[in-house]
Amino acid sequence: MAHDESPKPAGSHPVILQRSSYPEYLRISEILRKETVGGILLLIAASLAIIWANSPFSDSYFAIRDAEFGYEPWHLKLSVGQWASDGLLAVFFFLTGLELKREFVAGDLRRISRAIVPVAAAFGGVVVPALVYTAVNLSSPDTLRGWAIPTATDIAFALAVLAVISSHLPGALRIFLLTLAVVDDLIAIAIIAFFYSEDVSLVFLLWMLLPLGLFALLAQRRPKFFGSTTSGPWLILLPLGIATWALMHASGVHATVAGVLLGFCVPVLRRSGGKSVPPRPDKPGLAEVFEHRFRPLSTGFAVPVFAFFSAGVAIGGAAGFASAVTDPVFIGIVLGLVLGKPIGVLLTTFVVTKLTRANLDPGLSWWDLLGVGILAGVGFTVSLLVNDLSFGAGSEHDDHAKVAILAASVLAALLASVVLRARNKRYRRIDEEEKVDSDADGIPDVFEERGN
């Protein structure tokens, strides 16, 4: 059996960003591959929207985006753009709910020693950009409402950047980035629920609990049935999910929150011999089954369509861009994403390592965390959603914020590419170390030595 090429430092100090358990490594790797494809589709959709919105045919783009349809008495007469942000994006947040629950129930984050660093980094990556934006817009009360726009990380977009630059980013850093983005999404959901919900109707919220509770009861009581059939979830759970979403929308709380709640209701553990046991690759729990089934719908359709109808902004040529860059909204978002994100991620990670007397894995350095922190500044999907909630689609600040989100994401991607590509030679060596010396069962020895 081969020895571990990256041993822990002498003593009892914990090691952060070490390799995860092998089953978790395989599962996360599969998710990352799918998110990378989704990120590329996201880039294509956003590019098409910007080109169309600034072409001679721009009127047709905005006419389609603003066309309304739906049933008014149920508060569901929405524009196409609103259906994309409130409706389709709920699918994305449903997957986010599944992933969050999976990580904290059966993933590596169930262990505090592994969870504390990426969770702290996520909070730092939210708080510092918000403070940067607030500092820039403190004297402008009408723009202060956008303080949450630069707090989000778009994992699909970030992974698409990694795919383009062909970075051999080690698995530990990829998992750190994914975990940071997932926790980031949870914080964003809480921000949307508490700060961007207006005229909340308690009556509709209480009614919403009825289909939500029934959804949870059926999913918890009959996981084997819904996991083994393809029609059951569509015919039974989907109508309950739509009812939950519609009542949440009518209550005044943003409807995407319903997607997260529905995801939390799906069981992660599977039943075996009357007991709840962790899922296995050959015997997944219902949450993992749903994640496998519905992730293509989210990454391949829901999020790209949302991006297409949300990213389209008429820049107005050089004069329009000059007007945007002087707006404190633009300045706050760009500084928040490009500077605030990496500062927040690095600062909180440094503080945690000092408080816990932890050390980085010997194969990695703080330059690697800097690259990941900069890459976390690629904000897109949730940033665009919060922007629309902050200023309203079509307003001047909304348009300037979209330009800022796009500009900041591109700038963060370029800067991250410089840092990470400079470390690519080292990453290749780590990648080779992780792939060699496999047993007959296909599990690398480096994972078996840790008893995982």
Side-chain angles (χ1 to χ4, degrees):
M1 183 174 288
H3 66 279
D4 190 345
E5 297 292 340
S6 299
K8 293 182 182 180
S12 58
H13 299 323
V15 177
I16 66 172
L17 295 182
Q18 66 188 59
R19 295 167 188 165
S20 65
S21 60
Y22 189 61
E24 184 73 358
Y25 175 81
L26 291 178
R27 191 184 70 81
I28 295 294
S29 296
E30 181 64 23
I31 291 175
L32 293 178
R33 280 193 291 270
K34 292 177 180 176
E35 291 287 8
T36 300
V37 174
I40 294 172
L41 292 176
L42 195 66
L43 290 170
I44 294 173
S47 300
L48 289 175
I50 295 171
I51 293 171
W52 192 354
N54 290 276
S55 73
F57 311 103
S58 60
D59 289 345
S60 60
Y61 170 84
F62 294 109
I64 294 173
R65 187 196 67 181
D66 298 333
E68 294 185 346
F69 66 95
Y71 191 56
E72 179 62 37
W74 290 358
H75 307 278
L76 292 177
K77 188 174 183 180
L78 309 174
S79 67
V80 172
Q82 288 174 318
W83 276 110
S85 63
D86 293 12
L88 289 179
L89 215 55
V91 179
F92 164 80
F93 279 104
F94 175 72
L95 269 296
T96 299
L98 291 177
E99 180 61 26
L100 279 168
K101 188 174 181 180
R102 173 66 175 76
E103 286 297 322
F104 285 102
V105 172
D108 281 350
L109 291 188
R110 71 186 186 279
R111 287 174 270 181
I112 295 178
S113 60
R114 282 192 180 273
I116 186 170
V117 174
V119 170
F123 273 94
V126 168
V127 172
V128 175
L131 291 176
V132 169
Y133 181 94
T134 300
V136 173
N137 289 270
L138 200 57
S139 60
S140 179
D142 60 323
T143 62
L144 202 57
R145 183 172 169 79
W147 63 270
I149 296 173
T151 62
T153 295
D154 194 310
I155 185 63
F157 209 145
L159 291 172
V161 172
L162 287 180
V164 170
I165 67 175
S166 300
S167 173
H168 292 75
L169 198 67
L173 286 174
R174 287 176 180 265
I175 292 173
F176 177 82
L177 177 62
L178 175 64
T179 304
L180 186 151
V182 167
V183 178
D184 193 302
D185 284 340
L186 177 61
I187 300 172
I189 292 159
I191 289 173
I192 290 170
F194 288 103
F195 295 98
Y196 291 96
S197 298
E198 299 178 348
D199 301 325
V200 176
S201 170
L202 187 60
V203 174
F204 281 112
L205 270 182
L206 292 175
W207 275 108
M208 181 272 302
L209 295 176
L210 184 61
L212 178 65
L214 189 54
F215 180 100
L217 180 65
L218 291 172
Q220 295 287 336
R221 290 288 182 88
R222 296 289 183 268
K224 186 175 293 187
F225 168 74
F226 290 114
S228 60
T229 64
T230 54
S231 60
W234 293 102
L235 297 178
I236 300 173
L237 295 182
L238 180 61
L240 293 173
I242 292 174
T244 302
W245 174 86
L247 290 167
M248 180 72 82
H249 183 275
S251 74
V253 178
H254 198 265
T256 52
V257 178
V260 180
L261 294 179
L262 290 167
F264 285 164
C265 290
V266 179
V268 170
L269 303 178
R270 59 187 181 86
R271 302 291 295 177
S272 178
K275 297 180 180 180
S276 295
V277 296
R280 293 174 6 197
D282 58 329
K283 293 183 178 180
L286 186 59
E288 202 166 338
V289 172
F290 279 3
E291 189 180 327
H292 177 75
R293 289 183 185 175
F294 301 125
R295 188 171 293 279
L297 176 63
S298 173
T299 59
F301 179 74
V303 175
V305 170
F306 162 76
F308 178 77
F309 286 111
S310 188
V313 54
I315 298 174
F321 187 76
S323 173
V325 298
T326 57
D327 190 335
V329 169
F330 181 99
I331 299 170
I333 291 173
V334 172
L335 292 180
L337 285 173
V338 178
L339 294 181
K341 271 288 182 181
I343 290 174
V345 170
L346 260 69
L347 182 62
T348 49
T349 303
F350 179 78
V351 170
V352 169
T353 58
K354 292 303 178 184
L355 292 177
T356 61
R357 301 180 68 186
N359 298 288
L360 285 176
D361 188 277
L364 302 173
S365 74
W366 287 101
W367 280 105
D368 302 311
L369 267 181
L370 174 63
V372 171
I374 296 173
L375 192 60
V378 177
F380 196 77
T381 304
V382 180
S383 290
L384 288 173
L385 174 62
V386 175
N387 173 47
D388 288 342
L389 295 175
S390 299
F391 302 118
S395 66
E396 184 180 36
H397 288 313
D398 178 76
D399 288 343
H400 291 171
K402 287 180 180 179
V403 176
I405 292 168
L406 294 168
S409 296
V410 171
L411 183 57
L414 292 174
L415 292 174
S417 299
V418 172
V419 175
L420 295 177
R421 284 189 68 85
R423 295 279 293 169
N424 240 354
K425 188 176 293 185
R426 174 59 185 157
Y427 296 157
R428 285 194 186 96
R429 288 201 297 267
I430 295 176
D431 187 53
E432 290 170 1
E433 291 169 3
E434 290 180 342
K435 289 179 179 178
V436 299
D437 295 329
S438 297
D439 288 334
D441 59 1
I443 298 178
D445 297 332
V446 68
F447 290 103
E448 287 198 341
E449 285 190 352
R450 289 192 169 91
N452 289 320

